[in-house]
Short mmCIF file of all heavy atoms in Angstrom, two decimals:
data_model
loop_
_atom_site.label_atom_id
_atom_site.label_comp_id
_atom_site.label_asym_id
_atom_site.label_seq_id
_atom_site.Cartn_x
_atom_site.Cartn_y
_atom_site.Cartn_z
N ALA Z 4 139.88 -414.34 144.19
CA ALA Z 4 140.21 -413.53 143.02
C ALA Z 4 139.64 -414.14 141.75
O ALA Z 4 139.17 -413.44 140.86
CB ALA Z 4 141.72 -413.37 142.90
N SER Z 5 139.66 -415.47 141.65
CA SER Z 5 139.11 -416.10 140.45
C SER Z 5 137.60 -416.01 140.42
O SER Z 5 137.00 -416.01 139.36
CB SER Z 5 139.58 -417.56 140.37
OG SER Z 5 139.03 -418.30 141.44
N ASP Z 6 136.97 -415.91 141.59
CA ASP Z 6 135.52 -415.74 141.63
C ASP Z 6 135.11 -414.37 141.08
O ASP Z 6 134.05 -414.22 140.48
CB ASP Z 6 135.00 -415.88 143.06
CG ASP Z 6 135.03 -417.33 143.54
OD1 ASP Z 6 135.09 -418.22 142.67
OD2 ASP Z 6 134.98 -417.54 144.76
N LEU Z 7 135.94 -413.36 141.25
CA LEU Z 7 135.62 -412.02 140.77
C LEU Z 7 135.63 -411.94 139.26
O LEU Z 7 134.87 -411.19 138.65
CB LEU Z 7 136.60 -411.00 141.33
CG LEU Z 7 136.49 -410.71 142.82
CD1 LEU Z 7 137.61 -409.78 143.25
CD2 LEU Z 7 135.15 -410.11 143.14
N PHE Z 8 136.50 -412.71 138.62
CA PHE Z 8 136.63 -412.64 137.17
C PHE Z 8 135.96 -413.81 136.47
O PHE Z 8 136.24 -414.09 135.32
CB PHE Z 8 138.12 -412.57 136.80
CG PHE Z 8 138.78 -411.36 137.35
CD1 PHE Z 8 139.68 -411.46 138.40
CD2 PHE Z 8 138.49 -410.11 136.85
CE1 PHE Z 8 140.29 -410.34 138.92
CE2 PHE Z 8 139.10 -408.99 137.36
CZ PHE Z 8 140.01 -409.10 138.40
N SER Z 9 135.10 -414.46 137.13
CA SER Z 9 134.38 -415.60 136.56
C SER Z 9 133.43 -415.11 135.46
O SER Z 9 132.67 -414.16 135.68
CB SER Z 9 133.62 -416.32 137.66
OG SER Z 9 132.68 -417.19 137.12
N PRO Z 10 133.44 -415.71 134.27
CA PRO Z 10 132.57 -415.24 133.17
C PRO Z 10 131.11 -415.65 133.36
O PRO Z 10 130.23 -415.13 132.69
CB PRO Z 10 133.16 -415.90 131.93
CG PRO Z 10 133.85 -417.11 132.44
CD PRO Z 10 134.32 -416.78 133.83
N VAL Z 11 130.84 -416.58 134.23
CA VAL Z 11 129.47 -417.04 134.42
C VAL Z 11 128.76 -416.12 135.40
O VAL Z 11 129.22 -415.92 136.52
CB VAL Z 11 129.45 -418.49 134.94
CG1 VAL Z 11 128.03 -418.94 135.20
CG2 VAL Z 11 130.16 -419.41 133.98
N VAL Z 12 127.68 -415.54 134.97
CA VAL Z 12 126.88 -414.67 135.82
C VAL Z 12 125.56 -415.39 136.07
O VAL Z 12 124.83 -415.69 135.13
CB VAL Z 12 126.63 -413.30 135.17
CG1 VAL Z 12 125.75 -412.44 136.04
CG2 VAL Z 12 127.94 -412.62 134.84
N GLU Z 13 125.31 -415.65 137.30
CA GLU Z 13 124.08 -416.35 137.64
C GLU Z 13 122.97 -415.33 137.85
O GLU Z 13 123.16 -414.31 138.51
CB GLU Z 13 124.27 -417.19 138.90
CG GLU Z 13 125.24 -418.32 138.71
CD GLU Z 13 125.37 -419.17 139.96
OE1 GLU Z 13 124.42 -419.17 140.77
OE2 GLU Z 13 126.40 -419.82 140.10
N ARG Z 14 121.85 -415.61 137.28
CA ARG Z 14 120.69 -414.74 137.44
C ARG Z 14 119.79 -415.31 138.51
O ARG Z 14 119.66 -416.52 138.65
CB ARG Z 14 119.90 -414.64 136.14
CG ARG Z 14 120.62 -413.92 135.06
CD ARG Z 14 119.71 -413.73 133.88
NE ARG Z 14 120.56 -413.79 132.68
CZ ARG Z 14 120.20 -414.28 131.54
NH1 ARG Z 14 119.02 -414.79 131.39
NH2 ARG Z 14 121.02 -414.26 130.52
N SER Z 15 119.15 -414.43 139.18
CA SER Z 15 118.20 -414.90 140.18
C SER Z 15 116.92 -415.31 139.48
O SER Z 15 116.58 -414.80 138.41
CB SER Z 15 117.93 -413.81 141.21
OG SER Z 15 117.29 -412.72 140.59
N PRO Z 16 116.19 -416.23 140.05
CA PRO Z 16 114.92 -416.65 139.41
C PRO Z 16 113.92 -415.52 139.26
O PRO Z 16 113.09 -415.54 138.39
CB PRO Z 16 114.39 -417.72 140.36
CG PRO Z 16 115.54 -418.14 141.20
CD PRO Z 16 116.49 -417.01 141.22
N SER Z 17 114.02 -414.50 140.08
CA SER Z 17 113.06 -413.41 139.98
C SER Z 17 113.23 -412.62 138.68
O SER Z 17 112.25 -412.11 138.14
CB SER Z 17 113.20 -412.48 141.19
OG SER Z 17 114.48 -411.89 141.20
N VAL Z 18 114.45 -412.52 138.17
CA VAL Z 18 114.66 -411.82 136.90
C VAL Z 18 114.01 -412.61 135.77
O VAL Z 18 113.34 -412.04 134.91
CB VAL Z 18 116.17 -411.61 136.64
CG1 VAL Z 18 116.40 -411.06 135.24
CG2 VAL Z 18 116.78 -410.70 137.68
N GLU Z 19 114.18 -413.91 135.77
CA GLU Z 19 113.57 -414.73 134.73
C GLU Z 19 112.05 -414.70 134.83
O GLU Z 19 111.35 -414.63 133.82
CB GLU Z 19 114.09 -416.16 134.83
CG GLU Z 19 115.55 -416.28 134.43
CD GLU Z 19 116.10 -417.68 134.65
OE1 GLU Z 19 115.36 -418.55 135.16
OE2 GLU Z 19 117.27 -417.90 134.29
N ARG Z 20 111.55 -414.73 136.04
CA ARG Z 20 110.09 -414.66 136.23
C ARG Z 20 109.55 -413.32 135.77
O ARG Z 20 108.49 -413.24 135.15
CB ARG Z 20 109.73 -414.90 137.69
CG ARG Z 20 109.81 -416.32 138.10
CD ARG Z 20 109.32 -416.48 139.50
NE ARG Z 20 109.47 -417.87 139.93
CZ ARG Z 20 109.24 -418.29 141.14
NH1 ARG Z 20 108.85 -417.45 142.07
NH2 ARG Z 20 109.38 -419.56 141.44
N THR Z 21 110.28 -412.27 136.07
CA THR Z 21 109.84 -410.93 135.65
C THR Z 21 109.84 -410.82 134.13
O THR Z 21 108.89 -410.28 133.54
CB THR Z 21 110.77 -409.86 136.25
OG1 THR Z 21 110.78 -409.99 137.67
CG2 THR Z 21 110.30 -408.47 135.88
N ALA Z 22 110.85 -411.34 133.49
CA ALA Z 22 110.90 -411.31 132.03
C ALA Z 22 109.78 -412.14 131.42
O ALA Z 22 109.12 -411.72 130.46
CB ALA Z 22 112.25 -411.82 131.54
N LEU Z 23 109.52 -413.31 131.98
CA LEU Z 23 108.44 -414.16 131.50
C LEU Z 23 107.09 -413.49 131.71
O LEU Z 23 106.23 -413.51 130.82
CB LEU Z 23 108.48 -415.53 132.20
CG LEU Z 23 107.41 -416.52 131.77
CD1 LEU Z 23 107.56 -416.86 130.29
CD2 LEU Z 23 107.49 -417.77 132.62
N ALA Z 24 106.90 -412.89 132.87
CA ALA Z 24 105.64 -412.19 133.14
C ALA Z 24 105.45 -411.04 132.17
O ALA Z 24 104.34 -410.82 131.66
CB ALA Z 24 105.62 -411.68 134.57
N GLY Z 25 106.51 -410.30 131.88
CA GLY Z 25 106.42 -409.20 130.91
C GLY Z 25 106.06 -409.71 129.53
O GLY Z 25 105.24 -409.10 128.83
N PHE Z 26 106.65 -410.81 129.13
CA PHE Z 26 106.34 -411.40 127.83
C PHE Z 26 104.89 -411.85 127.77
O PHE Z 26 104.20 -411.61 126.78
CB PHE Z 26 107.28 -412.58 127.56
CG PHE Z 26 107.01 -413.27 126.27
CD1 PHE Z 26 107.36 -412.68 125.07
CD2 PHE Z 26 106.38 -414.51 126.25
CE1 PHE Z 26 107.10 -413.32 123.87
CE2 PHE Z 26 106.12 -415.15 125.06
CZ PHE Z 26 106.48 -414.56 123.86
N ILE Z 27 104.42 -412.49 128.83
CA ILE Z 27 103.03 -412.98 128.86
C ILE Z 27 102.06 -411.81 128.83
O ILE Z 27 101.08 -411.83 128.07
CB ILE Z 27 102.81 -413.88 130.09
CG1 ILE Z 27 103.56 -415.19 129.92
CG2 ILE Z 27 101.32 -414.13 130.32
CD1 ILE Z 27 103.57 -416.08 131.14
N VAL Z 28 102.33 -410.78 129.61
CA VAL Z 28 101.43 -409.61 129.64
C VAL Z 28 101.40 -408.94 128.27
O VAL Z 28 100.32 -408.59 127.76
CB VAL Z 28 101.85 -408.63 130.74
CG1 VAL Z 28 101.14 -407.29 130.60
CG2 VAL Z 28 101.58 -409.22 132.11
N SER Z 29 102.55 -408.76 127.66
CA SER Z 29 102.57 -408.10 126.35
C SER Z 29 101.87 -408.95 125.29
O SER Z 29 101.18 -408.42 124.41
CB SER Z 29 104.00 -407.79 125.92
OG SER Z 29 104.74 -408.98 125.76
N THR Z 30 101.98 -410.28 125.39
CA THR Z 30 101.29 -411.16 124.44
C THR Z 30 99.79 -411.08 124.63
O THR Z 30 99.03 -411.01 123.65
CB THR Z 30 101.78 -412.61 124.61
OG1 THR Z 30 103.20 -412.65 124.41
CG2 THR Z 30 101.11 -413.54 123.63
#
Side-chain angles (χ1 to χ4, degrees):
S5 66
D6 288 340
L7 290 175
F8 298 108
S9 165
V11 177
V12 178
E13 294 182 24
R14 292 187 213 146
S15 65
S17 63
V18 172
E19 290 175 357
R20 284 185 183 174
T21 303
L23 181 62
F26 178 73
I27 290 172
V28 168
S29 63
T30 302

